[in-house]
């Protein structure tokens, strides 16, 4: 799989070319009440990384004990990193010691609020272990698309941020046409292989900033960041044609596969909640199926 910033959920802050070279460093969510976030990694560079409960900060953590802008991690002149408390209500703790400012060393545990602990990592072996652990928690085992829980958590965050900043957001839902017929005719292993191949084509088609997830069974979702209605329709049609234009070959047998696609746009119709956006995309999807399948429908 590709381990670019978006697809591995590792946040990378830009580093000037003249910055002091150092061993790569990360903070990972070591403990939190939200199990889907455990293991999530943030790459540290030379721009400050702010931690807090506000959706606008680089490390957004849902914990009532965390201040909106709780603390930040910054690089030091000699190439290390330090954490700085930003006047938080409940304080910042490093290895069980409350600090205002503290230099970070590999393995340091940073408690933010009452339920959340971050771990500072500067070791490539542990970095890979933590990355693999996180990937196994947020990816669907069969297709390697993100799983439903991760999709729903991300949708809630993106929805709130887009509403606040009046940014466009679109949701695409699609499922495979007559998938039961494939399972009944060729067997469930062939059906699983079709799902894997469809996911591969979609992953190769979506942008790096989009989120592709398996929503359930043969149904998938793509969250299109910063996409207007016309842009979302173009993206949805690109997905449809990527599947329909050539058959999927399983055990030497070419299988014609198509998808029906529903598109919903934030702010269009009754989409004032994340769940309403999903419902609108689902209605558009079933309209596409009623109208003949292998087509794209925009919610009305």
């Amino acid at each position: 799989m590709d381990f670019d910033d978006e697809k591995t959920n590792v946040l990378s802050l830009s580093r000037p070319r003249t910055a002091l070279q150092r061993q790569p460093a990360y903070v990972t969510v070591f403990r939190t009440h939200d199990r889907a976030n455990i293991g999530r990694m943030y790459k540290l560079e030379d721009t400050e990384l702010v931690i807090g409960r506000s959706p606008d900060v680089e490390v957004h953590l849902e914990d009532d004990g965390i201040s909106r802008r709780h603390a930040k991690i910054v690089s030091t002149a000699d190439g290390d990193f330090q954490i700085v408390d930003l006047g938080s209500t409940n304080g910042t703790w490093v290895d069980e010691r409350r600090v205002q400012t503290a230099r970070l060393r590999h393995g340091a545990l940073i408690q933010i609020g009452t339920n959340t602990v971050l771990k500072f990592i500067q070791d490539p072996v542990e970095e890979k272990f933590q990355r693999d652990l996180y990937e196994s928690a947020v990816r669907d085992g069969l297709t390697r698309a993100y799983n439903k829980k991760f999709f729903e958590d991300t949708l809630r965050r993106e929805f709130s941020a887009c509403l606040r900043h009046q940014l466009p957001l679109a949701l695409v839902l699609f499922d495979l046409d007559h998938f039961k017929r494939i399972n009944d005719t060729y067997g469930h292993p062939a059906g699983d292989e079709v799902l894997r191949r469809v996911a591969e084509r979609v992953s190769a088609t979506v942008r790096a900033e989009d989120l592709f997830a398996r929503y359930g069974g043969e149904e998938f979702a793509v969250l299109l960041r910063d996409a207007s209605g016309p842009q979302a329709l173009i993206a949805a049609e690109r997905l449809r044609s990527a599947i329909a234009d050539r058959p999927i070959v399983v055990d030497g047998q070419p299988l014609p596969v198509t998808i029906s696609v529903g598109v919903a746009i934030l702010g269009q119709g009754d989409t004032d909640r994340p769940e309403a956006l999903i419902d609108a995309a689902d209605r558009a999807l079933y309209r596409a199926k009623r109208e003949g399948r292998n087509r794209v429908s925009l919610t009305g």
Side-chain angles (χ1 to χ4, degrees), residues 13-66:
L13 302 178
S14 60
R15 184 212 303 256
R17 291 183 181 276
T18 57
L20 181 65
Q21 294 299 310
R22 61 164 68 91
Q23 189 171 338
Y26 301 80
V27 285
T28 183
V29 181
F30 184 72
R31 188 181 74 218
T32 183
H33 63 83
D34 183 0
R35 295 183 61 84
N37 248 347
I38 294 176
R40 186 178 182 183
M41 297 177 68
Y42 300 85
K43 189 175 183 180
L44 300 171
E45 299 282 6
D46 285 301
T47 306
E48 69 179 27
L49 182 144
V50 178
I51 305 165
R53 191 161 41 86
S54 170
D56 300 327
V57 302
E58 290 83 7
V59 183
H60 170 66
L61 299 168
E62 291 290 346
D63 182 339
D64 290 341
I66 295 175

Side-chain angles (χ1 to χ4, degrees), residues 12 32 53 58 60 68 93 96 129 134 145 147 163 182 188 222 224 227-228 230 236 246 251-252 275 280 288 293 295:
S12 178
T32 183
R53 191 161 41 86
E58 290 83 7
H60 170 66
R68 291 183 62 80
W93 302 73
E96 301 185 346
F129 171 77
Y134 181 74
N147 59 31
L163 276 183
I182 294 175
H188 287 277
V222 181
L224 301 172
S228 64
R246 54 192 172 93
D251 293 332
E275 297 79 9
R293 304 177 189 266
R295 64 190 64 216

